Amino acid sequence: MSKLETQIEEIRDGILNRGLNRRDVLRKSLALGLSAPLIAGLLAACGDDDDDDDDDDEDTDDSADPTEADSGGGDDEPTATEEADEGGDDEDEEEPTATEAEDGGDDDEEPTEEEEMTDEKGGSGRLNLLNWQAATILNPHLAQGGKDFTASSVYLLPLADFDNDGNLVAKLATEIPSLENGLLAEDGTSVTWKLRENVLWHDGTPFTAKDVVFTWEYVTHPDAAAVTTKSNFDAVESVEAVDDYTVLITFTQPTPAWFDPYTTTQSLVIPEHVLRDYMGGTVNDAPFNLAPVGTGPYKVVDFRPGDTVLYEINMDYFEAGKPHFDEVELKGGGDATSAARAVLQTGDVDYSLNLQVEAEILVQLSEDGVGTLLTPEGPGLERLMINFTDPNVEVDGERSSISTPHPALSTREFREALSYLCDRDTIATQLYGPTGNAASNILTQPPRFASSNTSFEFDVDRAREILTEAGWEVQDGVLSKDGYSCNFIYQTSTNSVRQKNQEIVKQSLEEVGIRTEIKAIDAGVYFSSDPGNPDTYAHFYADLEMFTNSGTVYPIRYMSFYKSNEPESDIPQQSNEWGGRNIERWHHNPDAGFDNPRAEEYNELWLEANEAIDPERQNELFIGMNDILVEEFVEIPLVARNSVNGVSNTITGHEISVWASSFWDIENWDRS
């Protein structure tokens, strides 16, 4: 007897000898992937058994508000259960649903098999996810990289999230605020959110408006130096619980990005009752950071930082019939190529993220048809980041201090020469192919904000000419000036594409005498939020570094990476535990040797964009900010990257969104 036959016999034995009810039979059958006729036969063997009262209560709770379930994002494709049901049950007798029974139907009758299959949570076994950049912390407000935000989005929810067209989809909210429904103020100074009333935290505590208010208080606490998502709430003046399920957010000025607080993975709502004793200077001490409690479709049961997160189904999830999987494993480690092979060629996993793999290899792996390569055009940009401070000088235990300008890179002429030394076309063509294009803009998406004023050119001779005119000369094989020799460290995360990218840039740099040491850091270390780790990208203890950032629908947060009007929080430094976003330390402070007057101009544009309501003026402001960054060579855009993930051909219900986490709709995923 095969293993499957043995398992089927165990179900039959459970029905005959242990009183296994229809619900349990259904769950076990679906987990085994049984055909519809087999499932129907096993259910028939149960006879007319009644589920116990607890199960009935669960059905009632799950189906209490179908409108709310729809507002959280639907499943346009038939689930595995629906497909099985179409060819399985030939019974003609119609039975009332649980809701109809409450309205006066026959209490002895139970939901039809189709309805029970649709409303039942779980049954699809384990969902295997792979992100070669492993999560290191599960508190999204202390996260430094996408790996942690993504892992957090499986167990936590925002009030709303964005689909691929940039439309808001309600999550913990019941509807999207608008002028039409009266929840959005016409002058953009306030917004009201209506919250779901049937949501429980994973420990059984009800979710209320107090949690939304607390999230703001937690993130903006004056002593919370380690918090990385503070900029999402910069425009917020107050968050008020009008009642248990209504929240009023008031802004300090008209705010076009009124949705930034509490949407997407960088504004996930956290539990007040769990974290209220860990605010301010104690945020890093919370057990929640490694053993969290959320409201999402799956709950964390085991977390090994830098390795694996194991989730199990949240049977109290507020949407009827969701989620579909019983367990979710998010495995980390390895490399992008092996992650691509696992989903596209061998089928070892169901979904792999961030497949930054050479184009030729990706094409070869995707030809087998076991999985599908997803490459929608998105806002991601691979860029060369330039350190305006000196990483070789230590001040009070801190390198790359805003008191020490970089001898070479703090000057515009040197940065301009560096731009001419980046062969973007070769990088894009050889390494990215159909998954990316050479870029001249920092802000590439949405299209209305993409500047047409910029361009790029690869010209080693022109770079050499600029350096010579600025007084640089090669001495003993190294570009030097005023006693300083250009011995650069160029760092990024460990990845074959990135290392080849580094080699292409290094070759050009060394042609003009910039001696370059390539440094590859494990992604779990490089994107860590650990303030004591000197190898994080935020410490930037190197001359150059590289990684990808992505914008948002209204990219005010994205462009805050370059503002410096609040240097004590904007710029990563020891005093804020390297929690700032202005990684390059670009700012204007002539007294300390930082002569960047256009940084002040940038701040003014950013502050205006933070409250501009007129769409035409918004376009002017964002294009203006982009052009300043490009003209001042604050960083050098290399490749506008598509979102590149892989999904098993057995997974249904998944809809990708370049504006949200890859798992933004994971409650809809099922297996065919």
Side-chain angles (χ1 to χ4, degrees):
M1 182 180 295
S2 68
K3 180 179 179 180
L4 179 60
E5 290 172 329
T6 301
Q7 291 169 322
I8 293 172
E9 286 303 313
E10 289 176 354
I11 294 175
R12 288 198 179 102
D13 179 68
I15 295 169
L16 297 174
N17 300 317
R18 300 195 306 275
L20 203 63
N21 61 34
R22 292 172 62 88
R23 181 181 304 280
D24 292 335
V25 170
L26 180 64
R27 181 180 292 121
K28 291 177 179 294
S29 300
L30 292 174
L32 294 177
L34 301 184
S35 66
L38 274 174
I39 295 175
L42 290 170
L43 289 171
C46 294
D48 293 326
D49 65 314
D50 291 324
D51 291 343
D52 59 32
D53 291 339
D54 290 338
D55 284 339
D56 288 339
D57 289 340
E58 180 183 23
D59 269 347
T60 303
D61 291 341
D62 289 344
S63 58
D65 192 340
T67 303
E68 291 183 1
D70 289 341
S71 68
D75 185 354
D76 294 330
E77 297 180 45
T79 63
T81 57
E82 290 166 341
E83 289 175 356
D85 213 60
E86 289 175 2
D89 189 355
D90 293 329
E91 296 180 7
D92 294 327
E93 182 179 358
E94 294 185 2
E95 299 175 329
T97 64
T99 305
E100 291 170 339
E102 290 177 357
D103 292 338
D106 187 349
D107 291 340
D108 293 332
E109 294 179 348
E110 56 186 25
T112 65
E113 187 175 316
E114 179 180 359
E115 290 161 340
E116 188 168 358
M117 284 174 141
T118 301
D119 290 343
E120 182 64 39
K121 300 179 187 293
S124 293
R126 173 178 284 199
L127 177 66
N128 295 301
L129 312 172
L130 177 59
N131 187 358
W132 57 276
Q133 296 179 338
T136 54
I137 193 169
L138 291 182
N139 184 337
H141 299 291
L142 303 182
Q144 284 281 7
K147 59 185 178 51
D148 302 320
F149 289 119
T150 301
S152 298
S153 69
V154 178
Y155 84 91
L156 275 179
L157 294 175
L159 297 188
D161 217 331
F162 287 97
D163 66 16
N164 201 48
D165 295 324
N167 301 311
L168 279 168
V169 177
K171 292 292 184 176
L172 289 174
T174 60
E175 59 184 314
I176 302 302
S178 66
L179 295 176
E180 290 72 22
N181 61 22
L183 297 179
L184 180 62
E186 290 187 7
D187 62 359
T189 59
S190 68
V191 62
T192 299
W193 288 93
K194 296 290 187 178
L195 310 179
R196 295 182 184 272
E197 299 185 16
N198 58 335
V199 179
L200 297 176
W201 292 99
H202 293 156
D203 61 4
T205 303
F207 159 76
T208 70
K210 290 182 180 180
D211 299 301
V212 180
V213 175
F214 172 77
T215 300
W216 169 65
E217 294 173 341
Y218 176 92
V219 171
T220 60
H221 192 287
D223 298 328
V227 169
T228 58
T229 55
K230 179 179 178 295
S231 64
N232 303 343
F233 296 83
D234 278 347
V236 176
E237 181 176 276
S238 65
V239 182
E240 176 188 353
V242 178
D243 57 42
D244 283 348
Y245 297 100
T246 307
V247 175
L248 172 65
I249 303 173
T250 303
F251 301 104
T252 56
Q253 73 276 316
T255 302
W258 54 266
F259 43 76
D260 267 359
Y262 304 110
T263 64
T264 77
T265 57
Q266 295 194 23
S267 292
L268 299 171
V269 180
I270 52 178
E272 186 265 349
H273 69 286
V274 174
L275 285 168
R276 60 189 165 206
D277 294 330
Y278 296 95
M279 296 178 67
T282 63
V283 293
N284 285 319
D285 301 329
F288 174 93
N289 300 337
L290 300 179
V293 173
T295 52
Y298 298 97
K299 48 189 179 181
V300 176
V301 292
D302 185 43
F303 175 42
R304 287 169 281 170
D307 186 3
T308 304
V309 190
L310 184 62
Y311 313 82
E312 69 178 11
I313 188 171
N314 174 16
M315 294 303 291
D316 293 322
Y317 188 61
F318 53 82
E319 288 198 69
K322 299 176 184 179
H324 302 294
F325 288 96
D326 303 298
E327 291 182 319
V328 177
E329 181 185 64
L330 175 57
K331 182 69 177 173
D335 56 75
T337 302
S338 60
R341 182 175 294 109
V343 69
L344 299 175
Q345 189 177 72
T346 66
D348 292 334
V349 300
D350 298 309
Y351 200 96
S352 288
L353 294 88
N354 192 20
L355 302 182
Q356 193 174 13
V357 180
E358 292 173 67
E360 182 179 356
I361 296 176
L362 270 182
V363 171
Q364 291 174 352
L365 292 176
S366 60
E367 286 177 350
D368 290 341
V370 174
T372 299
L373 193 63
L374 307 172
T375 60
E377 184 177 348
L381 179 74
E382 189 86 342
R383 77 280 307 280
L384 184 67
M385 309 188 80
I386 296 170
N387 196 343
F388 280 69
T389 60
D390 194 339
N392 300 309
V393 175
E394 185 172 305
V395 179
D396 297 329
E398 175 184 6
R399 292 154 53 193
S400 294
S401 166
I402 57 174
S403 64
T404 58
H406 195 287
L409 295 172
S410 63
T411 65
R412 183 186 181 281
E413 294 84 3
F414 200 99
R415 300 194 303 274
E416 180 181 10
L418 204 62
S419 179
Y420 279 107
L421 295 171
C422 293
D423 190 356
R424 295 173 237 208
D425 281 326
T426 296
I427 292 170
T429 302
Q430 291 188 3
L431 303 182
Y432 289 87
T435 67
N437 298 290
S440 62
N441 285 324
I442 304 296
L443 180 57
T444 62
Q445 294 282 342
R448 73 182 179 111
F449 297 137
S451 174
S452 59
N453 306 322
T454 63
S455 61
F456 64 86
E457 184 179 357
F458 174 61
D459 190 335
V460 175
D461 291 336
R462 177 60 183 145
R464 188 180 288 112
E465 180 182 341
I466 292 171
L467 293 169
T468 300
E469 291 174 354
W472 293 88
E473 59 182 23
V474 177
Q475 298 176 358
D476 299 325
V478 183
L479 193 68
S480 306
K481 180 182 178 181
D482 299 334
Y484 175 80
S485 297
C486 294
N487 293 289
F488 283 6
I489 294 177
Y490 176 17
Q491 69 181 21
T492 189
S493 61
T494 303
N495 171 269
S496 62
V497 172
R498 285 194 165 136
Q499 270 66 80
K500 290 180 180 180
N501 193 330
Q502 285 178 304
E503 290 289 349
I504 291 172
V505 174
K506 174 182 177 178
Q507 181 178 346
S508 301
L509 296 182
E510 296 200 329
E511 282 189 50
V512 300
I514 302 174
R515 186 174 294 165
T516 307
E517 176 188 344
I518 287 178
K519 184 176 181 180
I521 305 170
D522 179 83
V525 175
Y526 187 55
F527 295 110
S528 168
S529 58
D530 180 6
N533 180 358
D535 283 329
T536 70
Y537 74 87
H539 279 74
F540 205 170
Y541 286 176
D543 303 274
L544 305 170
E545 70 179 0
M546 178 174 59
F547 60 86
T548 292
N549 269 346
S550 297
T552 53
V553 174
Y554 191 80
I556 195 70
R557 291 193 313 224
Y558 175 75
M559 301 304 274
S560 72
F561 272 98
Y562 314 99
K563 79 181 186 75
S564 56
N565 58 300
E566 297 178 315
E568 67 281 353
S569 59
D570 289 334
I571 298 174
Q573 50 198 294
Q574 188 168 259
S575 60
N576 62 27
E577 297 185 337
W578 287 273
R581 294 164 67 86
N582 186 337
I583 307 301
E584 284 104 343
R585 283 79 162 158
W586 178 56
H587 68 294
H588 184 55
N589 185 0
D591 293 339
F594 295 91
D595 188 17
N596 302 301
R598 297 202 75 186
E600 298 292 334
E601 179 184 351
Y602 183 92
N603 289 339
E604 293 175 3
L605 294 179
W606 187 89
L607 289 169
E608 184 179 348
N610 204 36
E611 58 182 89
I613 300 298
D614 178 63
E616 292 301 320
R617 183 55 180 158
Q618 292 172 354
N619 296 348
E620 295 171 358
L621 291 167
F622 280 105
I623 290 173
M625 283 187 279
N626 174 85
D627 291 352
I628 290 175
L629 298 174
V630 173
E631 292 163 6
E632 291 298 306
F633 308 99
V634 176
E635 64 184 23
I636 300 171
L638 298 175
V639 178
R641 290 180 54 193
N642 294 355
S643 174
V644 185
N645 297 328
V647 61
S648 166
N649 292 337
T650 68
I651 298 299
T652 63
H654 168 261
E655 294 185 11
I656 198 165
S657 172
V658 298
W659 305 110
S661 161
S662 295
F663 306 143
W664 77 287
D665 64 340
I666 196 168
E667 69 274 14
N668 299 330
W669 297 18
D670 204 347
R671 191 181 303 283
S672 62

